[in-house]
Amino acid sequence: MIIELKKFGNLLISRQSGKEALAALSSQLPTSNNDIVIDFSEISTFSPSWGDEFLSPLQQKYQNNLILKNTSNPSVKATIEILEETNNVKFKLA
């Protein structure tokens, strides 16, 4: 499954909107061990609060089956590093 974050906008900044984005997707998420690819293309701002509400629960549930793609944007890179350090995890990058 590929999740294009751009459908939630290109400024992913508030904790509340991150929580709402995850809730909107929850019924579509696979229950099996299929890969979930999070695509950051066209994202200009990605805050740690949005990421914590959206990515952290997915990382906990899917672990190595969660793959992050198109993460070269400095905002995205910095937030991923913060989440890895805060949650003591390592995200899998494509």
Side-chain angles (χ1 to χ4, degrees):
M1 171 180 209
I2 298 174
I3 300 170
E4 294 181 335
L5 291 184
K6 65 183 177 185
K7 71 181 182 180
F8 299 110
N10 66 343
L11 301 173
L12 306 176
I13 56 173
S14 79
R15 189 168 289 280
Q16 183 62 33
S17 66
K19 188 179 283 190
E20 290 170 3
L22 183 60
L25 279 178
S26 63
S27 66
Q28 301 170 27
L29 294 172
T31 55
S32 65
N33 287 338
N34 294 334
D35 285 345
I36 296 179
V37 177
I38 307 294
D39 187 351
F40 287 89
S41 62
E42 299 181 38
I43 300 302
S44 59
T45 304
F46 181 58
S47 76
S49 57
W50 198 99
D52 191 40
E53 292 295 335
F54 188 86
L55 282 185
S56 295
L58 291 175
Q59 175 65 30
Q60 289 173 355
K61 183 173 182 178
Y62 296 100
Q63 298 176 5
N64 287 332
N65 290 46
L66 183 69
I67 302 164
L68 309 183
K69 177 179 169 183
N70 295 316
T71 59
S72 61
N73 173 302
S75 176
V76 172
K77 287 172 87 169
T79 292
I80 289 170
E81 289 172 7
I82 290 167
L83 292 176
E84 287 178 332
E85 186 176 323
T86 303
N87 297 326
N88 197 29
V89 297
K90 185 70 176 162
F91 287 102
K92 188 174 180 180
L93 305 178

